[in-house]
């Protein structure tokens, strides 16, 4: 889990250093993740493929589309607001999944509501500070929140998909659909997916290894032994981790008044996760 936290914490700072289009990063990290997991699926879980029906893949496809929307919203936010703010806001995914559960008729514990209130206050404080910084920073906050909402759809669809599919089968389909959707979006907006300098390719490879493989894969690996609640809480350490890496690698210091808001978001989301006791891993959105 310590290695996984370092991996996901490096994602946002490394992304900010990238000059290539954000859609290119999202495309290659998802394509790379699918390519690494495909041999596992074909060699170790071939029996799973034999019994698959098209309807079993529907939720994985939906999850991939939500994941593509998440990356399309969150990655650009990193160049508009601070790494600390964008990372804190995108970790509010459990807040949105809890609200969906309530709308579905699930009664939420009082601790969950307390966490929701704290997280909302934290978001408001970050947004209020960024209003004084620039409208661009405020727009970045909005994109990071949209990324968290889309990640909520990805988590919910993924949880349904994994009722029928193994993790590798689900991930290969989800990541492949995500990469295909992003490729279409890149063509539509005119963003290139290749032709970058060596430095950008190295950064894309680093983000893929750190966030997509070490971060996501190791969190899923320990899920069965430590439980989803512990893993989801540990994932919140990405926020201070990303802040520290941004300070070292980018010399980026967030506005001091925004730090209480970041802390409130982390504590609030932590309360939501702990009270909700999720049945599956709320995978890190970064």
């Amino acid at each position: 889990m310590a290695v996984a936290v370092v991996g996901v914490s490096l994602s946002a700072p490394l992304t900010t250093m990238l000059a290539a289009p954000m859609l290119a990063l999202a495309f290659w990290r998802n394509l790379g993740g699918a390519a690494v997991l495909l041999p596992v699926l074909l060699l170790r879980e071939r029996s799973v493929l034999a019994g698959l029906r098209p309807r079993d893949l529907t939720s994985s496809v939906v999850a991939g589309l939500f994941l593509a929307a998440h990356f399309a919203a969150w990655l650009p936010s990193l160049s508009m607001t601070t790494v600390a703010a964008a990372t804190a806001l995108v970790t509010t995914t459990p807040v949105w999944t809890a609200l969906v559960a309530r709308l579905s008729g699930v009664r939420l514990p009082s601790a969950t509501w307390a966490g929701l209130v704290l997280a909302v206050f934290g978001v408001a404080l970050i947004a209020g500070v960024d209003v004084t910084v620039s409208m661009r920073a405020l727009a970045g906050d909005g994109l990071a929140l949209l990324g968290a909402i889309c990640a909520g759809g990805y988590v919910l669809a993924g949880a349904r998909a994994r009722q029928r599919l193994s993790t590798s089968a689900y991930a290969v389909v989800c990541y492949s659909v995500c990469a295909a959707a992003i490729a279409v979006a890149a063509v539509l907006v005119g963003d290139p997916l290749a032709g970058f300098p060596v430095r950008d390719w190295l950064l894309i490879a680093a983000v893929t290894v750190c966030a997509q493989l070490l971060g996501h894969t190791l969190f899923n690996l320990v899920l069965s032994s430590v439980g989803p609640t512990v893993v989801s809480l540990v994932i919140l350490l990405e926020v201070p981790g990303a802040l520290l890496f941004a300070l070292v690698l980018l010399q980026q210091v967030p506005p001091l008044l925004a730090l209480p808001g970041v802390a409130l978001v982390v504590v609030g989301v932590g309360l939501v996760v702990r009270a909700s006791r999720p049945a599956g891993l709320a995978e890190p959105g970064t």
Side-chain angles (χ1 to χ4, degrees):
M1 283 194 295
V3 174
V5 168
V6 172
V8 295
S9 297
L10 278 166
S11 175
L14 290 176
T15 298
T16 304
M17 298 167 64
L18 189 69
M22 293 295 101
L23 289 178
L25 169 61
F27 171 78
W28 287 110
R29 65 179 284 183
N30 279 278
L31 188 64
V36 169
L37 292 173
L38 184 59
V40 177
L41 177 61
L42 295 178
L43 296 177
R44 297 180 56 185
E45 300 177 4
R46 190 176 301 174
S47 59
V48 175
L49 298 176
L52 284 182
R53 294 169 294 178
R55 67 180 184 182
D56 295 335
L57 303 177
T58 303
S59 295
S60 298
V61 172
V62 172
L65 294 175
F66 269 118
L67 185 59
H70 157 74
F71 282 124
W74 182 68
L75 291 178
S77 75
L78 290 167
S79 63
M80 301 169 70
T81 186
T82 63
V83 166
T87 306
L89 293 173
V90 84
T91 59
T92 59
T93 295
V95 169
W96 308 108
T97 55
L99 290 176
V100 170
R102 181 66 189 91
L103 292 174
S104 302
V106 177
R107 296 189 64 180
L108 301 180
S110 56
T112 300
W113 287 111
L116 289 171
V117 171
L118 284 178
V120 168
F121 272 118
V123 169
L125 186 54
I126 293 171
V129 172
D130 280 350
V131 166
T132 64
V133 174
S134 70
M135 292 306 295
R136 178 179 174 82
L138 183 62
D141 295 342
L143 283 176
L145 274 179
L146 179 59
I149 294 171
C150 293
Y154 156 65
V155 167
L156 293 172
R160 176 170 293 187
R162 280 176 289 179
Q163 292 175 359
R164 296 188 178 97
L165 301 178
S166 65
T167 299
S168 60
Y170 156 72
V172 168
V173 175
C174 176
Y175 292 168
S176 299
V177 169
C178 178
I182 290 170
V184 172
V187 170
L188 291 176
V189 302
D191 281 353
L193 295 178
F196 312 128
V198 174
R199 180 178 181 275
D200 279 356
W201 284 116
L202 291 175
L203 286 170
I204 290 172
V207 172
T208 301
V209 171
C210 292
Q212 201 80 10
L213 297 177
L214 289 180
H216 289 226
T217 304
L218 290 181
F219 276 131
N220 280 317
L221 180 66
V222 300
L223 180 61
S224 60
S225 58
V226 301
T229 300
V230 172
V231 170
S232 296
L233 288 171
V234 169
I235 287 172
L236 291 176
L237 293 175
E238 177 188 357
V239 179
L243 193 157
L244 290 175
F245 280 123
L247 185 63
V248 173
L249 297 176
L250 306 171
Q251 288 77 53
Q252 185 183 95
V253 182
L256 292 179
L257 290 177
L259 293 180
V262 171
L264 283 176
V265 168
V266 172
V267 173
V269 173
L271 284 175
V272 171
V273 170
R274 192 169 184 273
S276 302
R277 300 187 182 281
L281 172 62
E283 297 183 17
T286 61

